Amino acid sequence: MPRTRVLAPARVRATVAAAATAALLTPLAACSSGGSPSAPDGKVRPSADERPVTVTVTPTGERVPAGEPVRVTASGGSLTSVTVTDAEGHRLAGKVAADGRSWVSDRKAVPGASYEVTAATRTEGGTAKSAKAAFTTAAADEVNKVDWRPGAGATVGIAQPISLVFDRPVRNRAEVEKQLRITTSNGTEGSWGWIRDWSGGDRVDWRPRTYWKPGTKVTLNAELNGTDSGADGGWFVRDYTTTFTIGARQIVKVDLDRHQLALVRDGETVRRIPVSGGTPGGDKRSWRGTAVLMAKEGTINMNSETVGLGDAYDKMVAYSMRLTWSGMYAHAAPWNARYFGNANQSSGCIGMSDANAAWFYGQVRPGDPFEITGKDTKGVVAPGNGFGAWNLSWSEWQGKSALR
């Protein structure tokens, strides 16, 4: 029998095996050509570049503590813009970081407010989307308020400070001072200083290194809303602003030993006036140093009991110009006429004739400095007794800033 017939089954087995192998490979080739493999549940998964951006907002929740900036961060993509708006439509401004991963508000979240946050994002693959969040802040238990000088639109003298008096204690002085911004038209150098007001309250004043240059435009922006005063002080819940202008260079020089004052304007003496200052040797003496004209109060009632001098006087006084909170004025004092230019016999004020007082009252303005000299006085005007900051050296004044 021919042996060639036994080879046929081997060839058949090889052919079948090859066909089976081809059948197994065909499905794998078809999947790889289609791109992404199918998930077990049949849903198509996004590529890594198109996965949603994860946005995180702090603070979050209801009645969270105020006084912190709003922070927004992104992972798996970038922020293109962030809008934070309160219920009244006011926005908290801020800027997206250069890497697009974070945003921080310039201002702090204020007490008792509701905020909505909208974050525009971009995936790694370039798809633009957005995310929203919301939170509320707890209301303020206590509110701190501010009384400030000078008023908006005023024209004041060359010694006028910017003065803020608080009705509650300020413990976080550095944080408060950071929110106070002074802008001048000529880059005037100056400093804030914390002092005790005559009323007993906390107070911060800003004075230039030297007297203001006439014509200077000055703006205060006190962005205090959302700032915590500290223990027992409460929160600030509003901002404050004022803009004013510096007038002519006027200095009132008062010589109590010679019993006269001189109004000096732009370096020239305009007029000399005979006066009578406070009586030597006791509580009726005048103050010395630099006082600043605080206000022109016109005709007012002066009662000695309000300044601790018993029943020495109680009368209406014309052309009254306040120099200190403790009660020193320049004013008309016709009852003291025989002492003008000769002796100091007042109860602490700087008195002059009706005619001279009327003229002088029309010439001076709040903010004009009164540079007072004399041997027998009660002492130098304190920083908080009116605007006495000029009686400190520049380095002493700078040392009263909470940021130095």
Side-chain angles (χ1 to χ4, degrees), residues 25-366:
L25 290 174
T26 300
L28 293 176
C31 286
S32 63
S33 67
S36 301
S38 296
D41 58 5
K43 295 181 180 179
V44 178
R45 290 177 177 172
S47 67
D49 286 349
E50 291 302 332
R51 289 173 183 166
V53 180
T54 300
V55 176
T56 303
V57 177
T58 53
T60 184
E62 299 293 323
R63 296 183 294 280
V64 300
E68 295 294 334
V70 179
R71 301 178 186 275
V72 182
T73 60
S75 60
S78 60
L79 299 168
T80 56
S81 68
V82 174
T83 302
V84 180
T85 309
D86 68 15
E88 297 178 355
H90 301 139
R91 288 190 176 187
L92 286 181
K95 186 177 181 180
V96 175
D99 63 3
R101 302 296 182 181
S102 63
W103 180 96
V104 182
S105 64
D106 297 333
R107 299 287 303 273
K108 301 168 184 176
V110 305
S114 300
Y115 290 97
E116 184 175 283
V117 182
T118 301
T121 64
R122 192 175 301 280
T123 66
E124 299 289 357
T127 301
K129 295 187 177 182
S130 66
K132 290 183 179 292
F135 66 92
T136 64
T137 54
D141 292 332
E142 300 287 351
V143 174
N144 205 340
K145 298 178 182 179
V146 181
D147 177 46
W148 72 96
R149 295 180 183 223
T155 297
V156 296
I158 60 174
Q160 176 68 54
I162 301 162
S163 184
L164 283 70
V165 180
F166 305 95
D167 71 346
R168 298 186 65 84
V170 179
R171 312 295 186 201
N172 295 338
R173 291 183 171 184
E175 289 303 310
V176 169
E177 192 173 328
K178 287 176 184 177
Q179 302 305 119
L180 308 177
R181 294 176 175 85
I182 302 297
T183 305
T184 69
S185 59
N186 53 18
T188 301
E189 180 185 6
S191 176
W192 291 102
W194 289 87
I195 57 179
R196 179 70 62 184
D197 186 62
W198 188 259
S199 66
D202 284 339
R203 170 176 152 189
V204 64
D205 286 7
W206 194 96
R207 52 152 277 204
R209 181 169 187 166
T210 59
Y211 290 156
W212 293 101
K213 181 179 178 181
T216 303
K217 305 288 185 181
V218 187
T219 299
L220 162 69
N221 282 310
E223 297 182 337
L224 292 170
N225 196 1
T227 302
D228 183 8
S229 299
D232 302 320
W235 291 86
F236 295 99
V237 295
R238 60 163 291 189
D239 295 335
Y240 301 84
T241 185
T242 187
T243 299
F244 59 96
T245 304
I246 306 303
R249 182 177 178 81
Q250 292 193 145
I251 300 174
V252 181
K253 295 184 178 292
V254 182
D255 188 335
L256 295 175
D257 294 335
R258 297 178 62 187
H259 320 296
Q260 71 171 20
L261 68 75
L263 176 61
V264 180
R265 183 180 298 143
D266 298 325
E268 300 292 331
T269 299
V270 178
R271 188 164 179 173
R272 296 184 187 277
I273 296 174
V275 298
S276 179
T279 304
D283 291 339
K284 291 185 178 182
R285 291 174 295 174
S286 300
W287 294 102
R288 72 174 184 276
T290 299
V292 177
L293 180 54
M294 301 176 65
K296 296 164 67 173
E297 298 181 4
T299 299
I300 61 174
N301 175 256
M302 290 191 180
N303 187 320
S304 56
E305 293 182 352
T306 64
V307 291
L309 294 177
D311 60 355
Y313 56 86
D314 184 3
K315 62 183 65 178
M316 300 302 293
V317 180
Y319 305 111
S320 298
M321 295 161 272
R322 180 182 284 275
L323 298 176
T324 70
W325 285 125
S326 62
M328 185 167 76
Y329 285 78
H331 61 76
W335 55 88
N336 249 5
R338 67 183 183 276
Y339 298 116
F340 299 150
N342 299 314
N344 293 321
Q345 289 294 318
S346 79
S347 295
C349 295
I350 300 166
M352 63 196 82
S353 70
D354 282 337
N356 281 331
W359 178 87
F360 186 64
Y361 191 90
Q363 300 297 311
V364 295
R365 59 166 49 95

